[in-house]
Amino acid sequence: MDLKDIKSLTLEELTLQLTESGFPPFRARQVYQWLHEKLRDRFEDMTNLPEAMKRQLAERFFITALQPVEVKVSKLDGTRKYLFALSDGIVIESVWMKYKHGNSVCISSQAGCRMGCRFCASTILGLERNLLPSEMLDQVYQIQKDTGERVSNVVVMGSGEPMDNYENLIRFIRLLSHEKGLNISQRNITVSTCGIVPGIQRLAEEGLPVTLALSLHAPSDRLRQELMPIARKYPLKEVLKACYGYYERTGRRLTFEYSLVKGVNDRPEEARALASLLKGMHGHVNLIPVNPIQERDYRQSSLSNIQAFKNVLEKNEINVTIRREMGRDIHGACGQLRSQYIRGKAHPEAFDKAPILQSEDRGEV
Ligand code: SAH
């Protein structure tokens, strides 16, 4: 019999499964607490359960536990970039960032991605597979254990398109915010999408007050289609209508991400077009200097262009911030650590090999 993924079960589902096998409901609460509050990865560590029950659980279920393959720590601001191995050997990336208002983790929702955005490293090798809810959760769990500090914010902005793994995303959000788990406020969870309209509409109906971020990157369909193939399927008008619907339904202010690429989307005329596009949208714009990836020759806009772009938006009363670059010294662009690692495995001689760290060493890097 195939083992079941116990960390992806809600408390209600776990209770049902265990009571059907004759255990009282409080046993399900104990197991849930070990998994989601005490963050334990082995049934044998669940010390308040009877031995026979631990054995039975191990015969029916597996516990997702990501293995850190590499951890890079920024000397500038303490940002930590993790490369984790899943149980089938596939690797994914997550990032931990320390802000004044708390610690934030950026998680991957898929191994790879099939959206094909031109500037993004995560999509270059295509989609490997969707992540299970437990594999999304465990990125947060392992990082909280490794840092010993509470995670207060989670952004689904790592590799993958969350709307392309919708059911697992919703389950992940419910587990992450459950009061008997890490209890992370849904208001502190952000889901970033390249603009899959049915996904945005569906999320609006879930009744979850999470923040929606739209990867916009261009003020016109023509330019957006050049950068993001998905824009051919969902024109801006429809995407923005769905975003506005999300705002109306949830009352949550929207975030619009705009990565500035030199000479491509960073001119004052694009800033003006963006301002008129976003008028009355109840959102704010996050300007991100594009992170150059080796596979494409996109370059970062100059600081003065970025500032000028911001000024145009501000003059037009659009809320705007320039995203502070975290972990500048360790960041390749999103997904680069992973793609470097995969390529290094295929051609080890070409890989600039960083040491593979054992768990004992992790605190010292
Ligand atoms: N698929 C989702 C979430 C993952 S990407 C989405 O598209 O929103 C998270 C954000 O990083 C997106 O806004 C994405 O467009 C942006 N991004 C990806 N590669 C980048 C790069 N090289 N430089 C700057 N931003 C990048």
Side-chain angles (χ1 to χ4, degrees):
M1 199 179 74
D2 274 350
L3 297 183
K4 283 199 184 143
D5 174 10
I6 195 169
K7 218 181 249 185
S8 289
L9 297 179
T10 62
L11 178 57
E12 295 70 29
E13 289 165 340
L14 186 63
T15 306
L16 196 67
Q17 299 220 5
L18 296 188
T19 49
E20 271 173 0
S21 326
F23 294 109
F26 82 92
R27 290 293 184 202
R29 282 198 298 277
Q30 286 178 320
V31 174
Y32 193 88
Q33 210 174 19
W34 281 114
L35 293 171
H36 299 283
E37 194 187 318
K38 299 179 184 163
L39 313 184
R40 294 306 170 90
D41 297 330
R42 300 183 320 172
F43 292 116
E44 62 212 73
D45 293 343
M46 303 182 178
T47 48
N48 55 5
L49 303 183
E51 290 305 318
M53 181 180 180
K54 288 189 229 172
R55 273 197 305 278
Q56 272 193 44
L57 288 173
E59 281 163 15
R60 266 176 77 183
F61 299 102
F62 68 90
I63 305 181
T64 292
L66 306 187
Q67 299 300 318
V69 177
E70 194 179 331
V71 187
K72 286 191 164 175
V73 183
S74 165
K75 294 199 173 65
L76 301 174
D77 53 32
T79 295
R80 300 169 79 88
K81 197 154 193 178
Y82 291 81
L83 193 67
F84 287 116
L86 309 176
S87 60
D88 53 5
I90 286 177
V91 292
I92 55 165
E93 251 180 84
S94 330
V95 186
W96 180 82
M97 289 156 289
K98 206 172 169 62
Y99 292 102
K100 275 197 215 86
H101 62 265
N103 299 318
S104 185
V105 170
C106 173
I107 67 140
S108 295
S109 55
Q110 297 179 310
C113 185
R114 60 187 183 126
M115 295 299 132
C117 300
R118 298 286 299 163
F119 44 80
C120 181
S122 304
T123 197
I124 285 171
L125 301 167
L127 174 67
E128 251 180 310
R129 69 166 171 85
N130 278 333
L131 298 190
L132 300 167
S134 59
E135 290 168 333
M136 292 189 233
L137 270 180
D138 211 43
Q139 298 172 55
V140 182
Y141 292 3
Q142 298 298 340
I143 290 178
Q144 176 155 313
K145 281 197 284 187
D146 185 53
T147 58
E149 291 187 33
R150 183 175 158 74
V151 172
S152 54
N153 291 268
V154 172
V155 296
V156 189
M157 279 191 191
S159 296
E161 167 51 43
M163 301 300 187
D164 195 32
N165 187 13
Y166 187 87
E167 304 285 345
N168 289 353
L169 170 78
I170 298 301
R171 188 174 271 271
F172 156 74
I173 293 172
R174 295 195 192 283
L175 291 165
L176 185 68
S177 55
H178 196 279
E179 57 177 11
K180 293 217 155 37
L182 284 195
N183 198 6
I184 293 181
S185 162
Q186 291 179 349
R187 294 172 174 275
N188 293 347
I189 300 173
T190 297
V191 174
S192 177
T193 177
C194 61
I196 297 185
V197 169
I200 298 172
Q201 291 167 333
R202 223 174 139 190
L203 188 64
E205 297 305 318
E206 296 284 350
L208 303 168
V210 299
T211 300
L212 179 70
L214 174 72
S215 297
L216 192 53
H217 306 319
S220 69
D221 279 320
R222 186 195 54 74
L223 185 53
R224 197 158 184 267
Q225 284 168 8
E226 247 175 58
L227 296 171
M228 306 173 72
I230 194 70
R232 289 183 215 138
K233 191 157 180 196
Y234 302 111
L236 269 177
K237 201 166 163 232
E238 284 177 30
V239 176
L240 291 177
K241 194 170 153 210
C243 289
Y244 193 77
Y246 188 86
Y247 163 76
E248 280 189 318
R249 195 87 177 90
T250 62
R252 305 287 298 152
R253 291 180 68 78
L254 303 158
T255 297
F256 298 101
E257 290 155 278
Y258 196 104
S259 297
L260 287 156
V261 189
K262 188 176 194 145
V264 174
N265 64 358
D266 68 341
R267 286 162 294 204
E269 65 216 63
E270 273 111 25
R272 283 192 293 274
L274 183 64
S276 65
L277 192 67
L278 297 183
K279 222 168 188 61
M281 281 296 290
H282 300 277
H284 89 274
V285 175
N286 211 338
L287 295 175
I288 312 162
V290 82
N291 223 326
I293 58 175
Q294 74 199 49
E295 292 82 358
R296 310 257 187 267
D297 60 358
Y298 288 136
R299 279 172 295 146
Q300 250 182 31
S301 308
S302 65
L303 269 181
S304 60
N305 278 9
I306 297 175
Q307 196 54 51
F309 199 94
K310 179 169 183 259
N311 291 346
V312 172
L313 293 179
E314 277 173 343
K315 270 206 197 97
N316 287 279
E317 290 167 8
I318 303 284
N319 278 315
V320 52
T321 45
I322 298 175
R323 184 181 294 173
R324 187 156 64 94
E325 273 189 283
M326 301 289 282
R328 213 190 152 85
D329 52 336
I330 54 164
H331 264 240
C334 322
Q336 277 212 319
L337 190 58
R338 174 172 176 272
S339 57
Q340 270 173 17
Y341 179 81
I342 294 171
R343 250 187 251 111
K345 278 209 140 168
H347 311 283
E349 68 287 351
F351 185 45
D352 172 24
K353 212 165 184 284
I356 308 279
L357 301 166
Q358 300 303 312
S359 52
E360 307 81 86
D361 300 333
R362 274 180 287 138
E364 299 156 22
V365 287

